Amino acid sequence: MDSNTPLPLALTTGEPAGIGAEVSLRAALQWQNQTPSLTPLVLMGDYDFLIATARNMALDVQFRHYDANAPFTHTQDATQIIQVAHVPLRAPATAGQLSTANAPHVLELLDTALNGIASQQFSGMVTAPVHKGIINDAGIAFTGHTEYLADKTQTDQVVMMLAGGGMRVALATTHVPLKLISDAITIPSLTRTLDILLHDLTVKFNIAQPRVLVTGLNPHAGEGGHMGMEEIDVITPVIQSFQQRGHDVRGPYPADTLFQPHYLNDADAVLAMYHDQGLPVLKYASFGHGVNITLGLPIIRTSVDHGTAIDLAGKNTADAGSMFAAIQCAHDMVHASHMNAAVNTQTNVSTRKI
Ligand SMILES: NC(=O)C1=CN([C@@H]2O[C@H](COP(=O)(O)OP(=O)(O)OC[C@H]3O[C@@H](n4cnc5c(N)ncnc54)[C@H](O)[C@@H]3O)[C@@H](O)[C@H]2O)C=CC1
Ligand SMILES: NCC(=O)COP(=O)(O)O
């Protein structure tokens, strides 16, 4: 590939019984039409299945097999060409009907993208939704992309962060059952989460001195210890240790009153303690346009803010706004990472080790 041409982003098309292929195709075409030549996309998916999906959507589109040795750039007159890295289905896919037979296929999409990043064919990955339940029903333990990618890249801790509606909300825990949350939030784990969050906001989002607002875990942030001790025992000491290191980290704030402009206007991110504390607020503010970002990985990975929407599959009505936003975000993160790497090389200042 011409050294001036950016590496493509890998786009995994997700659960084939859901809306993944539909939103991937719609968003890819929108991206290629709006930004020809900017960053090419390669869709990971079953070639014939993607053709059939496009036909069902009545899209004016051509397909081409991805060839790492003959890379392809979208010029103004080739925006309707979709490149596909063919990953065969394990069984025929029917819209709206989940099948355990295709669980390995879904994971192969992710592995193909990861291998392509490792061999420097792709600059990062954008993922369409998978169905966690059907993968487990197939006998494969799986809690989410976040944990799967951490495991595959041998990353000990990652941070889930969603962005949308003018907010970024990161989580101190990911897909953890509610009754295990308190034990999962320890001084070392929360310290690591904040380290990752501050590092990636700086390096991947170009925010020089991020301001992070931290929620409490309990109602009213524990009400001075009368409604729980995690704020006093864990959260406050961690916040204070970051303040002593010169970081703009504040809290703990009661989660029910934190999400208002008075607090959020000057914040770069909120760190919430668990999935359903932070994400409903963000999804209410931006569902359909939000982006899910995995921080702390050695690769760039973004995703949609929604799930497989089995109820909408095959109906050609799914909103691809979140997938488009995820592509844009991955593109911006690749760009910011390159810029920061160049600055650090020139000044010989290494990025903070996380
Ligand atoms: N990144 C990922 O892989 C994610 C996967 N999931 C998985 O998706 C599965 C289904 O989860 P649910 O909680 O039912 O959430 P869901 O997001 O699939 O559906 C919730 C509601 O939103 C609607 N919806 C979702 N995406 C839409 C779109 N693009 N356009 C228009 N309407 C849309 C659906 O029709 C449904 O009414 C679960 O297995 C879950 O684990 C959920 C979130 C993210
Ligand atoms: N609610 C976000 C979500 O569940 C996404 O999980 P992941 O598959 O991106 O880890």
Side-chain angles (χ1 to χ4, degrees):
M1 182 175 282
D2 176 339
S3 61
N4 294 321
T5 308
L7 288 178
L9 284 167
L11 205 165
T12 62
T13 51
E15 166 54 51
I19 60 169
E22 179 184 329
V23 295
S24 299
L25 287 169
R26 194 172 285 128
L29 289 175
Q30 187 188 348
W31 175 258
Q32 291 171 189
N33 276 293
Q34 284 186 11
T35 62
S37 315
L38 196 55
T39 292
L41 301 174
V42 179
L43 273 60
M44 317 285 114
D46 182 285
Y47 195 79
D48 291 335
F49 174 69
L50 290 174
I51 291 175
T53 303
R55 196 175 296 131
N56 186 48
M57 295 167 69
L59 292 178
D60 173 20
V61 60
Q62 294 169 45
F63 288 85
R64 160 192 172 113
H65 280 282
Y66 169 66
D67 179 354
N69 298 316
F72 170 75
T73 307
H74 293 285
T75 52
Q76 295 283 359
D77 53 358
T79 55
Q80 297 300 108
I81 296 175
I82 296 282
Q83 292 190 87
V84 180
H86 176 54
V87 179
L89 286 167
R90 296 293 189 97
T94 306
Q97 290 180 27
L98 292 164
S99 164
T100 53
N102 275 321
H105 163 79
V106 166
L107 300 183
E108 281 159 17
L109 300 175
L110 304 180
D111 295 342
T112 306
L114 279 171
N115 291 338
I117 295 171
S119 57
Q120 299 184 348
Q121 294 172 52
F122 306 136
S123 56
M125 66 196 283
V126 183
T127 61
V130 303
H131 196 282
K132 300 170 182 67
I134 201 71
I135 300 174
N136 283 284
D137 289 347
I140 305 168
F142 181 86
T143 45
H145 290 93
T146 307
E147 298 83 355
Y148 185 82
L149 297 175
D151 185 47
K152 286 281 171 176
T153 58
Q154 297 171 335
T155 309
D156 64 341
Q157 191 171 331
V158 292
V159 176
M160 185 189 290
M161 183 175 87
L162 272 83
M167 273 187 278
R168 297 186 188 91
V169 179
L171 306 176
T173 50
T174 56
H175 294 114
V176 178
L178 199 52
K179 70 177 179 182
L180 303 181
I181 296 286
S182 174
D183 286 348
I185 301 170
T186 61
I187 287 182
S189 75
L190 194 58
T191 302
R192 185 93 180 101
T193 297
L194 268 167
D195 263 330
I196 292 169
L197 178 58
L198 292 167
H199 174 274
D200 279 17
L201 287 174
T202 308
V203 171
K204 295 180 181 165
F205 290 85
N206 260 338
I207 302 170
Q209 169 73 332
R211 173 173 297 171
V212 174
L213 309 183
V214 182
T215 69
L217 174 67
N218 298 296
H220 308 171
E223 196 82 34
H226 297 288
M227 290 184 197
M229 288 299 290
E230 288 85 350
E231 289 77 9
I232 291 170
D233 291 343
V234 176
I235 303 172
T236 299
V238 171
I239 291 171
Q240 286 172 345
S241 77
F242 276 86
Q243 290 171 342
Q244 282 156 13
R245 284 160 55 187
H247 293 291
D248 191 350
V249 176
R250 304 174 184 200
Y253 295 96
D256 65 333
T257 48
L258 172 58
F259 291 95
Q260 51 170 307
H262 167 67
Y263 292 110
L264 300 180
N265 281 348
D266 296 323
D268 296 301
V270 169
L271 176 61
M273 290 298 113
Y274 59 94
H275 191 277
D276 285 7
Q277 186 184 51
L279 298 195
V281 186
L282 187 126
K283 291 196 181 187
Y284 183 71
S286 70
F287 193 66
H289 301 280
V291 183
N292 174 2
I293 304 137
T294 313
L295 307 179
L297 288 173
I299 62 168
I300 285 167
R301 180 261 171 165
T302 66
S303 188
V304 289
D305 64 1
H306 56 78
T308 48
I310 296 298
D311 54 328
L312 295 186
K315 295 183 178 159
N316 197 19
T317 55
D319 184 343
S322 176
M323 178 55 89
F324 184 84
I327 295 168
Q328 178 78 61
C329 181
H331 163 81
D332 293 347
M333 289 171 69
V334 169
H335 193 65
S337 300
H338 286 172
M339 298 284 284
N340 275 302
V343 168
N344 289 327
T345 306
Q346 279 165 17
T347 57
N348 204 20
V349 176
S350 63
T351 51
R352 199 172 340 133
K353 178 118 177 72
I354 61 168

